[in-house]
Amino acid sequence: MFYTYLGRIRFEDSSGASSDFESSAYGMSAVGQMAFSPWLTAFAKAGIARWDSNLEGNLDDGTRFELEGHKGTNPVYGFGAQFDFSPFLLRTEYEYYDVDSDYRVDTFTASAGFRF
């Protein structure tokens, strides 16, 4: 199970209009792993994500607008690698969220951990 904040995107133009698009998602993924060595493991995952997005902003005439609660359920895919330098871990991951067929969100993360 997972929850992720997909971020906020700001759009602006020269006329003074602007909008902010913000999304988050939660869901479930199945993960398959393959160890290439004692210190390197690759993985791939596929699952489903329930996403929620909000759009708000100002038109060029100063009118404020807000569209809340645009939601959907779509697939999520990913792959990555984990490097085990016990007791330290390094992990990189790419994920692709297919959000509403109108746009997609690609994420790349890197993290470090300590096993105790």
Side-chain angles (χ1 to χ4, degrees):
M1 296 188 71
F2 66 87
Y3 169 81
T4 186
Y5 175 67
L6 297 170
R8 171 176 263 174
I9 302 169
R10 182 165 196 73
F11 302 97
E12 295 179 314
D13 71 12
S14 59
S15 69
S18 66
S19 61
D20 291 312
F21 184 76
E22 187 171 24
S23 294
S24 62
Y26 64 91
M28 263 183 162
S29 294
V31 179
Q33 298 182 346
M34 179 182 286
F36 289 102
S37 73
W39 56 270
L40 175 61
T41 302
F43 62 90
K45 63 184 184 178
I48 193 142
R50 176 78 175 156
W51 54 269
D52 183 14
S53 60
N54 299 308
L55 179 66
E56 60 184 45
N58 297 303
L59 301 175
D60 56 358
D61 66 0
T63 305
R64 179 116 181 104
F65 68 89
E66 190 169 332
L67 304 170
E68 290 188 24
H70 189 67
K71 300 176 184 191
T73 303
N74 294 91
V76 60
Y77 311 98
F79 62 89
Q82 180 169 297
F83 303 91
D84 187 351
F85 305 110
S86 288
F88 299 102
L89 301 170
L90 297 174
R91 181 178 176 125
T92 62
E93 183 172 349
Y94 166 80
E95 286 183 303
Y96 165 77
Y97 292 83
D98 182 10
V99 180
D100 196 24
S101 301
D102 292 335
Y103 76 96
R104 70 183 222 188
V105 177
D106 296 290
T107 65
F108 178 78
T109 57
S111 58
F114 181 79
R115 188 179 318 205
F116 54 94

